[in-house]
Amino acid sequence: MGKLDGRVALVTGGARGQGLSHAHVLAAEGADIAVVDICEQIETVPYAMSTVDDLTRAHKELEEHGTRVWTRQVDMRDGTQVQTAVDDIVAELGAVDIAAVNHGIWTRGDFWDMPDDVWQDMIDVNLTAVWRALRALGPHMMSRRSGSIILTASVNGKEGQPGSAHYTAAKHGVLGLMKSVALELAPYGVRVNAIMPGFVDSGMTNWQGCYDMTGGKPGSTRAEHEQNSRHWHAIGGLIEPNEISGAVVFLASDDAKRITGIEMPVDGGHLLLPGFNTAPV
Ligand code: NAD
């Protein structure tokens, strides 16, 4: 008997990384799962994004839980694709009870010479596309007078980080969006919360440019990246995607039925420390 038996959960950006982990953990609790992901490269993103093969593999893996699985390639920046996906999930799986709006990108650059497309892609994906998800989901959940939406922000939603003004602005925006939408949906019994992961080991961070940032010098190794990431967490080093998923299940479940509008750090105590604006050890 799972906590989420009979419910339908949508995960955006779920072909890999934290989203795929959330999908597994939600399915293990009994939820039917819908996963959407762009599965193609955005030109300004310097690391490899997900592929159609990732989504196909995710679909097969998720079916092993025995609940229903629905997957589709969707660019969350495209309002028509988002609305059609939500409508089709409702038609085929019956509802969307839970949504983990998790998709995102990470790029770096000093604000003073950031090209327009780097800024715009970041805001489009990490902020505007979150609103597009909420806009498509809101009326459906309002009509059913229930639902739980979990937005993935970041510790960058609460603090600055050099070289990351656009990501930081988008994640601060996600928290503001979440609080306003939580108030708008509260009269309908729909809950909206945000999680704020610390530094997570995923395709977003597992590449040379990120090792160089964590290591503080070009050519830093994966071992140095792992070692230096400890500097940014009070407990442990890099966080595993499945260490974020428990918070998603909690917020999705009736255990959190009186919880709405919160910003939940899952960050190994990162926000207690001086933050990203300190050199690695
Ligand atoms: P990831 O790159 O493995 O996963 C992100 C997924 O989002 C990818 O599969 C990608 O294809 C998908 N995606 C990107 N743009 C999309 C779009 N327009 N439409 C649909 N899908 C799209 O990285 P992750 O670490 O699993 O990231 C998940 C979330 O966690 C993101 O919102 C990210 O900003 C946030 N986050 C990550 C970290 C970290 O250290 N990795 C820390 C804090 C917050």
Side-chain angles (χ1 to χ4, degrees):
M1 179 88 177
K3 275 182 198 296
L4 305 174
D5 283 346
R7 303 202 196 163
V8 178
L10 165 65
V11 182
T12 73
R16 71 175 200 193
Q18 295 178 57
L20 179 55
S21 171
H22 301 343
H24 274 296
V25 176
L26 291 161
E29 287 294 345
D32 293 325
I33 300 295
V35 167
V36 295
D37 200 300
I38 190 172
C39 302
E40 62 185 30
Q41 198 64 31
I42 294 174
E43 237 174 68
T44 54
V45 174
Y47 55 88
M49 291 175 61
S50 69
T51 62
V52 172
D53 284 351
D54 290 331
L55 190 61
T56 306
R57 195 176 318 114
H59 189 117
K60 285 202 189 102
E61 282 177 14
L62 288 165
E63 279 181 333
E64 288 171 19
H65 294 280
T67 59
R68 292 181 293 170
V69 180
W70 183 105
T71 54
R72 181 176 293 172
Q73 189 176 0
V74 171
D75 184 343
M76 294 301 294
R77 293 173 296 181
D78 181 327
T80 305
Q81 287 186 35
V82 173
Q83 186 65 59
T84 305
V86 169
D87 291 347
D88 290 351
I89 296 163
V90 172
E92 292 170 43
L93 300 184
V96 179
D97 301 290
I98 297 158
V101 181
N102 153 89
H103 68 271
I105 56 172
W106 182 66
T107 56
R108 277 182 68 71
D110 294 325
F111 79 89
W112 61 81
D113 64 2
M114 183 171 288
D116 284 353
D117 57 351
V118 173
W119 171 271
Q120 198 58 52
D121 285 350
M122 178 60 70
I123 301 302
D124 287 349
V125 174
N126 282 18
L127 180 56
T128 307
V130 175
W131 164 71
R132 290 198 201 291
L134 291 164
R135 185 178 62 172
L137 291 161
H140 169 66
M141 290 186 171
M142 287 157 79
S143 71
R144 304 182 75 234
R145 301 193 86 79
S146 75
S148 173
I149 302 173
I150 302 103
L151 307 183
T152 299
S154 166
V155 288
N156 286 83
K158 296 306 266 186
E159 65 180 5
Q161 182 176 17
S164 233
H166 55 335
Y167 184 83
T168 300
K171 293 298 189 182
H172 274 68
V174 167
L175 294 178
L177 177 64
M178 179 276 292
K179 284 180 273 195
S180 295
V181 174
L183 286 171
E184 286 191 53
L185 290 179
Y188 299 91
V190 179
R191 299 183 294 106
V192 190
N193 294 289
I195 54 169
M196 303 188 295
F199 206 25
V200 181
D201 195 13
S202 70
M204 185 176 280
T205 52
N206 191 10
W207 60 290
Q208 188 61 47
C210 191
Y211 303 168
D212 293 349
M213 181 199 77
T214 323
K217 60 174 178 9
S220 294
T221 63
R222 162 85 198 182
E224 288 170 311
H225 163 73
E226 282 175 26
Q227 181 55 36
N228 288 332
S229 73
R230 296 187 162 271
H231 178 72
W232 285 328
H233 299 101
I235 297 178
L238 287 171
I239 300 170
E240 291 301 324
N242 64 17
E243 294 176 306
I244 306 293
S245 301
V248 172
V249 168
F250 168 68
L251 291 170
S253 76
D254 291 343
D255 291 343
K257 70 181 176 194
R258 295 300 289 259
I259 298 178
T260 197
I262 68 161
E263 304 164 339
M264 182 188 279
V266 190
D267 68 343
H270 171 89
L271 288 172
L272 298 172
L273 298 172
F276 281 126
N277 194 22
T278 51
V281 273

